[in-house]
Amino acid sequence: MSTFFLDGDEIPFEPGQTIMEAAHAAGRYLPHLCWHPDFEPHGSCKLCTVKADERLVSACTTAAQAGMSVENRTPELDDKRRTLLQMLFVEGNHFCPSCEKSGHCLLQATAYEMGMTTPHFDMFYPDRPVDASHPDMLLDFNRCILCELCVRASRDADGKNVFALSGRGIASHLIVNAESGRLADTGFSKDDRAASICPVGVILRKRVGFAVPIGSRKYDLTPVGEGGA
Ligand code: SF4
Ligand code: FES
């Protein structure tokens, strides 16, 4: 089996595995938001940017190569990640203390891991109305980080294509594929894979909010950098 070096440690990989896949299989944490082991990589959030043989690359889309030297948790890279996170926080409305996904949210957990303590930039405070039309699920678009995990899950796992991204650049936003634009007018079900894939607090189940007490939530128990991804 071939190996590469991750922050100086030898990591085995199979041909065709990405740096992210091999690192994940070896139990190593590479910061990420849009990557999920069950879906095709998307390469959009750039949180997984590493230095591979002195080049900046996305670990989730770059194939591992024998002998490659990959820098991951360096102060320089974590500093860039902190800036990306700060931009995501100000671009949406992330009021963590009042969000029922708090403690289960990958954005929040990653911000803690990267030592983010302030938003740094001016908040946008966008106005994005929630969609409460579905009997079982609520969509709070305010927290969407455009990772497209729901798009991939609905398309590739559920075969339904309920979600899509619309617009470009700063105007890019999540939409529901129905003429009315309402979730109730799609075939979406609370049992869909897409119903439980959102890493932040956009796609929420109704009537089960705050079921897990503070202190027992996913990232309370295992911080993301310690294998809680
Ligand atoms: S709703 Fe959630 S899963 Fe879908 S794109 Fe936004 S953040 Fe990602
Ligand atoms: S996790 Fe690699 S770009 Fe998002």
Side-chain angles (χ1 to χ4, degrees):
M1 183 175 276
S2 305
T3 61
F4 67 95
F5 294 91
L6 180 65
D7 288 338
D9 300 329
E10 209 165 358
I11 305 289
F13 70 94
E14 305 281 355
Q17 270 188 321
T18 61
I19 297 170
M20 179 69 89
E21 285 168 339
H24 185 73
R28 297 292 294 265
Y29 170 65
L30 267 66
H32 60 272
L33 290 174
C34 70
W35 178 79
H36 188 290
D38 295 350
F39 297 98
E40 287 292 308
H42 190 238
S44 60
C45 76
K46 301 301 175 204
L47 256 289
C48 72
T49 300
V50 291
K51 221 180 227 182
D53 288 341
E54 296 303 317
R55 274 193 329 126
L56 291 173
V57 297
S58 299
C60 70
T61 55
T62 304
Q65 284 175 29
M68 180 185 247
S69 173
V70 178
E71 288 176 39
N72 173 34
R73 297 302 304 274
T74 65
E76 181 198 3
L77 288 167
D78 280 358
D79 190 50
K80 289 186 198 307
R81 290 168 175 143
R82 208 158 34 242
T83 303
L84 287 171
L85 289 163
Q86 285 167 324
M87 292 197 290
L88 283 170
F89 269 89
V90 302
E91 187 276 337
N93 293 315
H94 299 277
F95 305 119
C96 294
S98 65
C99 176
E100 68 178 73
K101 197 76 184 276
S102 182
H104 299 280
C105 170
L106 187 58
L107 179 70
Q108 181 194 49
T110 308
Y112 279 132
E113 180 67 26
M114 295 303 129
M116 182 187 138
T117 52
T118 69
H120 182 74
F121 304 107
D122 288 342
M123 305 293 285
F124 284 24
Y125 294 124
D127 183 14
R128 300 185 190 132
V130 300
D131 177 347
S133 63
H134 194 280
D136 302 314
M137 304 295 299
L138 172 80
L139 297 180
D140 188 339
F141 295 100
N142 286 296
R143 303 167 185 150
C144 183
I145 56 170
L146 307 175
C147 68
E148 290 207 28
L149 275 168
C150 61
V151 177
R152 284 175 275 167
S154 184
R155 182 189 63 212
D156 303 338
D158 305 325
K160 291 188 179 178
N161 276 317
V162 168
F163 301 101
L165 285 198
S166 176
R168 285 169 176 270
I170 195 79
S172 186
H173 62 286
L174 186 72
I175 58 164
V176 168
N177 274 325
E179 209 165 310
S180 64
R182 291 166 11 119
L183 192 63
D185 298 326
T186 68
F188 195 60
S189 153
K190 64 178 175 21
D191 302 318
D192 286 356
R193 187 75 205 279
S196 57
I197 200 73
C198 183
V200 294
V202 180
I203 306 175
L204 299 170
R205 271 165 219 271
K206 289 183 174 175
R207 297 176 292 279
V208 293
F210 304 99
V212 182
I214 292 172
S216 310
R217 297 176 183 169
K218 180 176 177 179
Y219 298 114
D220 296 335
L221 302 176
T222 315
V224 69
E226 295 169 25

